[in-house]
Amino acid sequence: MFDGPFDVFALIIAIAAFFIAIKASSQAADLRRRLSSFEEVLHAQRPVQPPPLAPVWEQAPATTTTAAPEPPPLAPEPELAPPPPLAEDVSPPPLEASLEAGAPPPVPAPAPGFEERLGTRWVVWIGGLALALGGFFMVRYSIEAGLLGPGVRVFLSGLFALALLGAGEWTRRKESISSLQALPIANIPAILTAAGTAVAFATIYAAYALYEFLVPATAFVLLGLVALGTLAAALLHGPALAGLGVVGAFVTPILVSSGKPEYWALYVYLAIVTAASFGLARIRLWRWLAVTTIVFAVLWTFPGLDAAELQVAPHAFHVIAGFLLAALLVVCGFMFGPGIDDGEIEPVSSSALGAYLFGAMLIVLSSGHADLALLAFTLLVAGTLFVAWRAPAATGALGAAAATVFIVFAEWAVRANPDMLVLPGGAMPGIGPTATGSAVTLHLVMAAIFAAGFGIAGFLAQGRSNSAIIPVVWSATAVAMPIAILVALYARIAHLDRSIPFAIVAVLLAAAFGAATEALARRETRPGIAISTALFATGTLGAMALALTFALDKGWLTIALALMSLGTAWISMQRPIPFLRWLAAILAGLVTARIAYDPRIVGDAVGTTPIFNWLLWGYGVPAASFWAASIFLRRRADDAPLRMVETAAILFTALLAFMEIRHFATGGRMTVPPSLLEFALQVCITLAMAIGLERLRLRSHSIVHNVGAVVLTAIGGLISVFGLLIMENPLLWRIDVGGAVFNLLLLGYALPAVLMLLLSYAVVGERGKVYANTIAAGALVFALAYVTLEIRRFYHGPILSTGPTTGAEQYTYSIGWLAFGVALLGVGILVNSERARLASAAVIALTILKAFVIDMSTLTGVYRALSFMCLGVVLVAIGWLYQRILFRRQAAPPPAAQTGT
């Protein structure tokens, strides 16, 4: 039916299928050859027992060329029984005679070489491929060239198919009575029969769809007969014929094409082919054949989806028919499907239903949510719930059903449609004459059906299985689907604005989940019941979060989610369900993501009042909630959820301080560049919080508090260096520092120096010496910077970056540094602090360096003399202090003189 690139695609598929079948046939031939070599030795050693039972679905096909029983797996263990003979007319020679004569056991036949494989197998396979393609392309050529009439074409094609089928059956019968061992490995009967069935499919289909020689009923019967004939032939000839038959049947509509697509004829034909292929796969338990059929059937859903006028009815018939056939023949433990142990989820059973759900979803999306497409999709989802309820092997299809339902509603929610109602109270002015269109009504009905179906079935499925995974899957879909559908409807109808009706629905949903949680908590212990209870409890809190989302503005939503994290942590104390701890952490993560999206919480409506604005509520309430939640969670365990909540608590506390400082420093204009005041306040607050965490971690022994203290210290150091010493340094930039004593220098340099000193003492003995000394060095740098900048403020006024530096100013710097060094030395002597004395030595050394490098070259007259005189006096005084006071106090008393007796 389809010309163009599909011809090349069909040829590639056919060739690939032939070579796959070649590999399977070669493996089976090697098995038969090796079994024949060991048959004589194994036959008389043990009594004959039946071969082991086959699994639910065979992983790999076993090729048979005759009607003889299939051999068991190769090289059985010594205690197992030998396999039955390959054919009834083959009898092994007596083993006793060979053993009495001392004859050695027969040597296995050598593996066939390249020439043997080429002459007995590959040539035959390629010949069969050529026969099949030759018949197809002869039909195409006759159509394009107009050589023969339609009736003659169909008649000749039928004769050619019968000839191939007859040749295949004749060669099979000849091989079954022949003593030759070379011909069966070539699989000539299977190849000829496969080519004949493929040509027969094409002939009947062309007579019906192209030339209208057959009415639909007759074509249906004939195609069914050919499909049944292919099924019977594959039972005799093995998987090679099945593989070629299914590939040829699905590729036939591409090779035998027409100008106008007839989707009804195509999909009726594909339904017959799918039924025959699924039936054969069920009888022989060939997993590969079922999977191949599903893949081809789903691929045939794509033609026509992008057309301007999509024919929904035939496409819907295609997915519904395929779904029904898969449920009847493929799903293990349901109707005619293979048997399976209770409580096991089988991949083929679940993926078969999921594949057709995917096809139905594509039809809905491509048709713009047409009513018929939505109805077909609803039937398939309902069918998935029913099949999974009766057959636990298909429980995995619930995930596919939930995913496709969410995609359908999510796509409908984001679809631009201004004609629809955006508020539940009535039509908006200028939008349209009706409040709700039929599509909205149909989607609302579908949403109610899906939510009720998944929710009720998921609750009732608890306790029905001895496996833990099956009730968990049911409960997960029961919780996720109603919430996801409600979110999609809210986005579509309310456009993410406040909506009290949606909030009421969310509260009712939370009540339903809460009732389910209590009911499951009172039940006896069953596999998976604890996880399912946790999932329904999660749904309760999630629905409450949605209710708050629907009813509150953006800022209140942030607060509500944070309080829900606290409530979840408290509930985890009352109901020790492990997942509740994770839910508290997940809610904390959601609030963090919400802050990352809009750090101002409420956009431009933060307000201009310092401190008492929306930042205090938007950051302060979540920070307090997370701190309280971490206290509740820590009472049971120190695990990953606790650490996540503690991280959120530290983060929101720091963000509260930073955002409030920025709001205060910028007057509410949060987008202006930072200033010296902002950097100074941020450094002070960061260092104060680091000191607090250092103290807290000694009691909690929390790794989060430990890492948080280090991170805050690093942030404070970076802001100090790059913000205060470089970006907003009043010596480098024109900055008004304020009054003579109480100014920005006191806030930006003196106070950080004190906090750094306190932090260094807080980490002494708890962290490495280098870490503590680095912080102490930072305190020394900022203290010296404060002394220097305050002297500069005395000479230059509020603007430090303008005006020349006089000799008196240079002299004052030296005197000030000396005084600062002496003060440090005095403190070090009084409290016996080696670090203070070393800091004093560093300051005095810097003063000496300044005297010899700067003062000697810039100062003149009395200032130069006074500078060096003061320096000399101070150095002599320091030496006297060290010799007379410090060392004398630290010196040990001399040992007492010994007296003789």
Side-chain angles (χ1 to χ4, degrees), residues 61-248:
T63 306
T64 56
T65 56
T66 65
E70 295 184 7
L74 181 63
E77 299 293 334
E79 67 271 16
L80 297 181
L86 293 180
E88 296 179 358
D89 57 344
V90 179
S91 59
L95 181 64
E96 294 80 0
S98 61
L99 294 177
E100 291 176 359
V107 179
F114 174 76
E115 183 178 2
E116 182 181 355
R117 294 176 183 271
L118 179 64
T120 60
R121 302 181 188 182
W122 297 351
V123 172
V124 178
W125 284 100
I126 296 174
L129 174 64
L131 284 174
L133 292 179
F136 292 142
F137 290 130
M138 180 60 70
V139 175
R140 283 188 60 87
Y141 175 73
S142 64
I143 294 174
E144 294 172 355
L147 299 179
L148 301 174
V152 178
R153 300 173 200 161
V154 173
F155 178 73
L156 293 179
S157 298
L159 288 180
F160 185 59
L162 292 176
L164 291 175
L165 293 173
E169 180 63 18
W170 181 79
T171 54
R172 187 187 69 83
R173 292 178 180 272
K174 294 292 289 182
E175 288 183 355
S176 65
I177 61 176
S178 175
S179 60
L180 297 177
Q181 296 298 323
L183 288 179
I185 64 175
N187 243 346
I188 293 177
I191 295 172
L192 294 176
T193 306
T197 56
V199 174
F201 271 120
T203 301
I204 299 174
Y205 180 72
Y208 165 64
L210 298 181
Y211 309 119
E212 298 181 353
F213 291 157
L214 302 176
V215 296
T218 305
F220 182 86
V221 172
L222 292 178
L223 289 173
L225 292 176
V226 173
L228 293 177
T230 305
L231 172 63
L235 290 173
L236 296 175
H237 294 277
L241 177 61
L244 294 178
V246 71
V247 172

Side-chain angles (χ1 to χ4, degrees), residues 568-637:
T568 306
W570 180 81
I571 293 174
S572 68
M573 295 291 298
Q574 313 303 319
R575 299 279 186 180
I577 301 175
F579 188 75
L580 291 178
R581 300 175 63 87
W582 280 103
L583 181 59
I586 291 172
L587 290 171
L590 292 176
V591 178
T592 305
R594 166 71 183 85
I595 294 300
Y597 174 74
D598 186 3
R600 295 177 297 177
I601 308 294
V602 290
D604 295 331
V606 175
T608 58
T609 304
I611 308 300
F612 298 98
N613 48 54
W614 251 109
L615 296 175
L616 178 62
W617 311 113
Y619 285 95
V621 174
S625 300
F626 295 148
W627 281 114
S630 67
I631 295 175
F632 289 133
L633 295 177
R634 180 168 291 279
R635 292 179 180 178
R636 290 195 174 272

Side-chain angles (χ1 to χ4, degrees), residues 57 326-338 349-350 352-353 387 391 393-394:
W57 285 105
L328 293 174
L329 300 173
V330 177
V331 176
C332 298
F334 182 79
M335 299 299 289
F336 308 109
S349 304
S350 301
L353 302 183
V387 174

Side-chain angles (χ1 to χ4, degrees), residues 453-477:
F454 278 99
I456 296 174
F459 173 75
L460 296 179
Q462 304 304 312
R464 295 183 68 248
S465 176
N466 294 325
S467 173
I469 185 62
I470 290 178
V472 169
V473 173
W474 276 103
S475 59
T477 54

